[in-house]
């Protein structure tokens, strides 16, 4: 990660694209936890990455890079809530450093999970991502014009493949929690 951050700070567009692809979805999911609005969160994360590129010369090249990107997206998400008056942000502002660290570690697990899901076969990955987005099996079946049993079998197959490829048992626990087979 340090090398990638250094390359981005030196203007390497390929390194920036790698950073974008690795962190976009985890940061989007993190933002949605606050905003409860996918469109707003997409704008927030895209704006963050634009600013990241504009300010690339000032990138922090140490362990705090993860804290930097997550706290930036968190702050932007809270600003969105404040500016739209959609939710009181009082409780979020008083979050302890320990809570923030726990959230950041959780998001890293999501990033690792997302990377593992990207390695699944195409149809299996597509079904798995729809399930993680909260879609019901029947709706997924209707959307993809397949049977509900096919959806269930692809979810089971994906779970088995992830079990074989994912090191962290915590990630497996998240999979089982999200995808009620």
């Amino acid at each position: 990660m340090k090398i990638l951050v250094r390359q981005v700070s030196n203007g390497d567009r390929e390194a920036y694209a790698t950073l974008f692809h690795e962190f976009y979805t985890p940061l989007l999911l993190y933002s949605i936890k606050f905003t409860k609005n996918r469109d707003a969160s997409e704008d927030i994360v895209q704006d963050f990455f634009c600013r990241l590129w504009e300010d690339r010369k000032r990138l922090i090249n140490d362990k705090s890079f993860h804290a930097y990107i997550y706290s930036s997206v968190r702050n932007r998400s809270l600003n969105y809530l404040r500016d739209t008056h959609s939710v009181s942000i009082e409780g979020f502002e008083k979050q302890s450093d320990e809570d923030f660290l726990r959230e950041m570690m959780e998001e890293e697990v999501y990033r690792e999970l997302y990377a593992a899901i990207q390695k699944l076969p195409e149809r299996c990955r597509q079904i798995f991502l729809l399930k993680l987005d909260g879609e019901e099996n029947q709706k997924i079946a209707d959307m993809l014009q397949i049977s509900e049993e096919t959806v269930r079998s692809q979810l089971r197959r994906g779970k088995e493949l992830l079990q074989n490829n994912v090191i962290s048992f915590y990630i497996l626990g998240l999979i089982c929690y999200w995808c009620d087979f």
Side-chain angles (χ1 to χ4, degrees):
M1 187 58 60
K2 287 181 181 183
I3 294 169
L4 191 61
V5 171
R6 188 177 324 116
Q7 289 172 330
V8 170
S9 69
N10 290 330
D12 185 329
R13 291 181 187 271
E14 281 186 39
Y16 174 76
T18 300
L19 204 64
F20 179 87
H21 289 296
E22 188 162 333
F23 285 101
Y24 179 82
T25 299
L27 289 172
L28 175 63
L29 295 173
Y30 185 61
S31 178
I32 290 171
K33 285 172 58 174
F34 295 102
T35 67
K36 310 291 189 243
N37 181 325
R38 185 178 188 92
D39 291 336
S41 290
E42 286 175 351
D43 290 344
I44 288 165
V45 174
Q46 288 172 7
D47 182 60
F48 165 75
F49 275 106
C50 288
R51 293 285 171 107
L52 181 73
W53 180 253
E54 290 170 2
D55 297 336
R56 66 188 173 273
K57 298 235 184 267
R58 291 189 271 161
L59 275 177
I60 301 166
N61 199 12
D62 61 17
K63 291 186 277 188
S64 64
F65 177 73
H66 285 91
Y68 165 71
I69 63 175
Y70 282 103
S71 63
S72 294
V73 169
R74 177 182 178 272
N75 292 339
R76 289 169 188 269
S77 299
L78 294 177
N79 288 343
Y80 164 81
L81 292 175
R82 183 194 63 219
D83 295 345
T84 61
H85 305 291
S86 56
V87 173
S88 170
I89 61 171
E90 193 172 305
F92 293 121
E93 291 175 334
K94 295 178 182 174
Q95 184 182 38
S96 71
D97 289 341
E98 185 178 296
D99 289 339
F100 177 71
L101 182 61
R102 182 184 43 75
E103 273 188 11
M104 194 177 78
M105 288 172 32
E106 208 173 274
E107 295 309 316
E108 282 302 302
V109 170
Y110 293 144
R111 186 173 65 86
E112 193 175 321
L113 171 62
Y114 182 75
I117 289 171
Q118 292 306 308
K119 295 176 184 172
L120 292 174
E122 185 178 346
R123 178 62 113 188
C124 186
R125 178 180 62 240
Q126 184 181 23
I127 291 170
F128 222 87
L129 289 172
L130 287 169
K131 186 66 175 180
L132 290 177
D133 277 343
E135 300 295 345
E136 297 293 326
N137 290 356
Q138 186 58 55
K139 186 171 181 184
I140 295 171
D142 294 343
M143 289 170 60
L144 301 177
Q145 299 178 342
I146 57 177
S147 72
E148 190 173 356
E149 181 55 39
T150 300
V151 170
R152 282 193 296 272
S153 70
Q154 287 293 311
L155 289 170
R156 279 191 301 274
R157 179 176 180 224
K159 180 181 168 187
E160 289 169 6
L161 290 170
L162 288 172
Q163 282 176 324
N164 294 331
N165 294 320
V166 175
I167 297 170
S168 173
F169 288 105
Y170 185 64
I171 292 175
L172 184 57
L174 286 174
I175 293 167
C176 294
Y177 174 75
W178 279 335
C179 301
D180 187 25
F181 301 111

